[in-house]
Amino acid sequence: MARPAADETAARALRPRVRPGKITKIEDSKVGQLLTLLDRSAVPQQLEELLAGRPGPAGVRPRTVLAGLLLAAYYTGRATIAEAWRILHFRLKPKARTRLGIPAEAPTTARECIAASRRLYRGFDRITTVLDPARCDRRSRLPQDIADAYADAWNVPSGRQAAERLQQLANQLVLTPVRLAHKHGHLRGWRGDVGVDATSIPVLSHPASDRTPTAPVEITAGWHYSGGSGEGTFGYSATFVVAAHRRRPGESAGKPTAYPQMCVGLVLDTPTVRTGRNAVLALEELSELGVPAGTCAADRAYTGCSPENFQIPVRRLGYRLALDYKVNDRGQQGSWQGALLVDGSLACPHMPAALVQATHGLDDKAVREIRDNQQLTEHITAREPHYLKTKQGPDARGAIRLQCPAAGPSPSVNCARRDRLRPRTPRTPGPPSAVVDFSDRRQRAAHPAARPTVQLPQNEWLSPPPADELPRVCSKSDITVPADAAGDLKTAKFRQDSHYLSDDWIAAYKPIRSHNEGIHGRLKGDEIDIGNPKHRPAPGQVAQTFLVALLVTAGNLDILETWLYQRTGTQLTDSVFDNTDPQPPTRPETEPPAQTGRPPPPTTGR
């Protein structure tokens, strides 16, 4: 029976828009590449297992939903169901349609268009529902008390288990192009240095208002404040781990990279919550690829984390830390077994006070413009001989062994206390030669007169104390500093592996941090803009995590293709994707987590 004309007109007004002039067919080869990439991530298979046996209409399979969104992200820079629907039903050729289970003929009537789009929406809704610890109505504002109960469901043990499952699936998507590059040797030039940083992911939802007792639609969103900015962004924080590299001290910038600078880790979460833990989660996923662990550079947001949430686990993963400090944290920060902790490095207990306090109260502008401050540069250089020397690098637990700067065959300072407690045995009999070849730089540096002398207290010259009354760093041959520095929170929190503001620190910290900003600019550019909430309008943390992950996956693939074309003039072929090793087995699966640790609050949501 024919439908009334009014119904057909209303249906045409409601259906997704089709732009006939912009319908260009996508090559089967590119669809096959992206589909193979998606299958290698193993995400569609895991979603099928989670959805098995759930009641209700099945809608479109997760593999088809994710393929449509990935195609939309790759070709339009938008991860929206509407763009995915247009591509799946109007821009694919018959072979690609068959692979994705799409009907051979495109919908022609308004009713067919609505039915096709609703099936796609239903398929995406099933994905977000099964992964949400506490499903609620995401279309309207809830009363604040009910929304708080739903938000708390993310923080109970079952909610954290579900959130970690979600982050693992997102990371599998992001890391699939990285695995592809690693498999074919494109990451050989990467030494394992990484930059960790968080960027804002704004949402379309408005924050809570003081005028109404309702919560925002995004119940787990919050305010993200970028460094140096007093104006916040309402939404989520995305923790990015980017493949980066340090430079040699004094090396100029601008050289082409020997590897594609891809995003190698992503975690989306509420701002200022689990900041350090999210970075560790991404680094743990990265370590399973078998890539080396180099230097990890992070800004002051991560320096301020509790050591057990960031610094300690990162060291135990094998990374060297390069950190920055807040104004009040610069200068002397503590001590460890008698050694002074000065700007993250352990030093001689009698380092001159002027050098210890050289950076005390130093503002951020002075740190950025250190090259223009001659006095500060001289103090930073004068600190070097007083730092403890590494005797043994980190072991499997992240512990290192350090020794006095006056010890060893190549001391950097002269110390009467050290000579008294541990007299030196000359390598050759007789007094040292008084003749020095001034044209030989090594001879000049090795002569005692060229080294600074430690100024001991006056009473020590008159009555030297026994060894057991002296600091351990002076009385023992070396000291051990474990990764957790048990008993000294500041040592575990502030210690780093490059001397702060030295040439080595600048060559490590600043380039890696610039690579972080570069990946943010690349992923928030014109082609792919994860910072535009209209490019990922679906509400909810689960939906936002998946949409951002798909956009970053498309961005990673674009970075790899661009780098390969600029370097060799070639493109990624079908054989490159087909020969990729399958996804390594994931962590042992556990039972699907319960929806929440408490009964869900009553609500009218679907």
Side-chain angles (χ1 to χ4, degrees):
M1 183 176 179
R3 295 181 181 275
D7 288 356
E8 189 67 17
T9 302
R12 290 184 180 278
L14 291 174
R15 67 174 177 170
R17 303 296 181 189
V18 179
R19 306 167 188 168
K22 295 187 177 182
I23 298 178
T24 56
K25 296 297 182 180
I26 298 175
E27 295 295 330
D28 289 340
S29 60
K30 181 53 69 175
V31 177
Q33 290 178 4
L34 295 180
L35 195 56
T36 302
L37 199 71
L38 192 62
D39 291 337
R40 298 292 181 182
S41 71
V43 173
Q45 299 91 313
Q46 294 180 45
L47 290 176
E48 291 279 7
E49 295 173 3
L50 290 173
L51 290 171
R54 289 183 66 87
V60 181
R61 292 182 58 191
R63 182 172 181 260
T64 305
V65 175
L66 296 181
L69 290 169
L70 185 59
L71 285 164
Y74 185 82
Y75 281 100
T76 69
R78 296 169 177 263
T80 65
I81 300 295
E83 290 290 350
W85 174 80
R86 293 187 189 104
I87 289 176
L88 291 175
H89 289 278
F90 296 95
R91 296 184 61 180
L92 297 187
K93 296 181 179 180
K95 183 178 179 180
R97 287 172 171 273
T98 302
R99 295 186 65 178
L100 289 171
I102 300 297
E105 299 296 332
T108 54
T109 67
R111 296 290 176 180
E112 290 177 351
C113 289
I114 291 176
S117 65
R118 284 183 176 174
R119 284 194 296 270
L120 197 61
Y121 275 102
R122 191 180 303 122
F124 184 70
D125 187 69
R126 281 171 58 83
I127 294 173
T128 58
T129 299
V130 74
L131 293 172
D132 201 325
R135 184 70 160 85
C136 65
D137 187 358
R138 296 191 296 259
R139 299 166 300 179
S140 61
R141 290 174 175 263
L142 298 175
Q144 187 65 58
D145 56 340
I146 296 178
D148 290 341
Y150 276 115
D152 290 342
W154 285 79
N155 298 316
V156 299
S158 60
R160 292 312 311 152
Q161 183 183 359
E164 290 186 5
R165 181 195 297 272
L166 172 65
Q167 302 300 350
Q168 184 181 350
L169 292 174
N171 250 322
Q172 287 176 216
L173 288 170
V174 171
L175 286 176
T176 304
V178 180
R179 294 182 190 276
L180 177 69
H182 184 53
K183 163 68 179 177
H184 293 276
H186 301 318
L187 295 179
R188 282 194 302 265
W190 179 39
R191 297 190 293 268
D193 298 332
V194 294
V196 177
D197 196 13
T199 188
S200 62
I201 303 295
V203 294
L204 289 176
S205 170
H206 295 288
S209 173
D210 296 335
R211 297 189 298 271
T212 60
T214 57
V217 173
E218 296 282 355
I219 60 174
T220 56
W223 289 97
H224 176 100
Y225 291 91
S226 301
S229 174
E231 184 176 352
T233 301
F234 184 74
Y236 297 97
S237 289
T239 300
F240 281 111
V241 179
V242 59
H245 66 273
R246 53 178 296 158
R247 294 195 299 264
R248 294 184 179 87
E251 185 180 17
S252 60
K255 295 183 179 180
T257 58
Y259 62 92
Q261 292 181 288
M262 308 169 73
C263 173
V264 294
L266 167 70
V267 176
L268 192 91
D269 205 349
T270 307
T272 70
V273 176
R274 294 175 289 273
T275 301
R277 180 57 194 157
N278 289 337
V280 173
L281 206 67
L283 291 174
E284 288 174 345
E285 295 284 341
L286 177 61
S287 64
E288 296 179 3
L289 266 68
V291 296
T295 298
C296 175
D299 63 9
R300 289 170 294 179
Y302 295 89
T303 308
C305 295
S306 298
E308 61 272 12
N309 291 334
F310 181 69
Q311 290 88 337
I312 296 173
V314 170
R315 289 192 185 101
R316 287 178 174 166
L317 287 173
Y319 288 95
R320 295 164 53 88
L321 285 175
L323 307 172
D324 194 9
Y325 304 113
K326 297 180 180 179
V327 175
N328 296 332
D329 293 331
R330 295 183 178 125
Q332 183 177 350
Q333 300 159 330
S335 63
W336 176 260
Q337 296 185 0
L340 300 181
L341 183 66
V342 181
D343 285 331
S345 297
L346 292 171
C348 170
H350 295 291
M351 176 189 279
L355 301 183
V356 173
Q357 302 299 331
T359 57
H360 179 69
L362 197 68
D363 59 16
D364 297 336
K365 181 179 180 181
V367 170
R368 291 192 298 268
E369 300 174 355
I370 184 175
R371 299 296 186 188
D372 300 331
N373 191 330
Q374 183 177 357
Q375 182 180 11
L376 178 60
T377 303
E378 291 175 353
H379 283 165
I380 297 299
T381 304
R383 280 179 172 183
E384 293 286 339
H386 297 272
Y387 288 126
L388 302 190
K389 297 184 296 183
T390 302
K391 187 174 183 179
Q392 185 178 24
D395 58 15
R397 295 176 297 175
I400 61 173
R401 292 171 61 194
L402 303 176
Q403 64 180 0
C404 169
S410 301
S412 56
V413 296
N414 301 318
C415 181
R417 176 185 293 174
R418 183 73 185 185
D419 294 339
R420 175 175 64 85
L421 296 175
R422 296 179 178 274
R424 297 183 180 278
T425 302
R427 295 183 179 179
T428 58
S433 175
V435 179
V436 178
D437 183 2
F438 287 99
S439 63
D440 189 335
R441 182 175 60 84
R442 296 187 64 181
Q443 285 193 32
R444 297 198 311 269
H447 196 275
R451 301 193 294 261
T453 300
V454 175
Q455 300 298 320
L456 300 176
Q458 186 65 30
N459 58 354
E460 186 167 342
W461 294 99
L462 302 176
S463 56
D468 57 357
E469 295 181 7
L470 294 173
R472 185 179 179 86
V473 67
C474 299
S475 60
K476 301 297 182 180
S477 60
D478 58 70
I479 60 173
T480 299
V481 187
D484 57 357
D488 193 335
L489 180 65
K490 290 189 175 180
T491 300
K493 183 174 184 177
F494 294 124
R495 183 170 64 87
Q496 59 177 311
D497 297 278
S498 296
H499 303 321
Y500 187 58
L501 298 183
S502 65
D503 291 341
D504 185 65
W505 182 87
I506 292 174
Y509 184 81
K510 291 192 174 181
I512 295 177
R513 290 287 301 148
S514 68
H515 297 158
N516 269 116
E517 299 302 327
I519 200 74
H520 293 170
R522 186 74 177 261
L523 296 176
K524 290 186 175 181
D526 295 331
E527 296 183 5
I528 295 179
D529 187 3
I530 64 173
N532 189 342
K534 293 183 179 180
H535 291 181
R536 35 171 185 78
Q541 184 171 339
V542 178
Q544 288 293 303
T545 299
F546 260 105
L547 298 183
V548 171
L550 289 166
L551 287 168
V552 174
T553 302
N556 264 348
L557 188 60
D558 179 65
I559 291 171
L560 177 59
E561 290 178 327
T562 303
W563 177 86
L564 188 62
Y565 182 78
Q566 292 177 346
R567 189 176 179 86
T568 63
T570 59
Q571 298 181 3
L572 294 174
T573 60
D574 294 349
S575 61
V576 173
F577 289 85
D578 294 338
N579 293 334
T580 304
D581 286 338
Q583 173 81 7
T586 57
R587 299 190 181 98
E589 290 291 340
T590 57
E591 291 294 326
Q595 290 298 312
T596 179
R598 68 183 70 179
T603 180
T604 57
R606 56 190 175 95

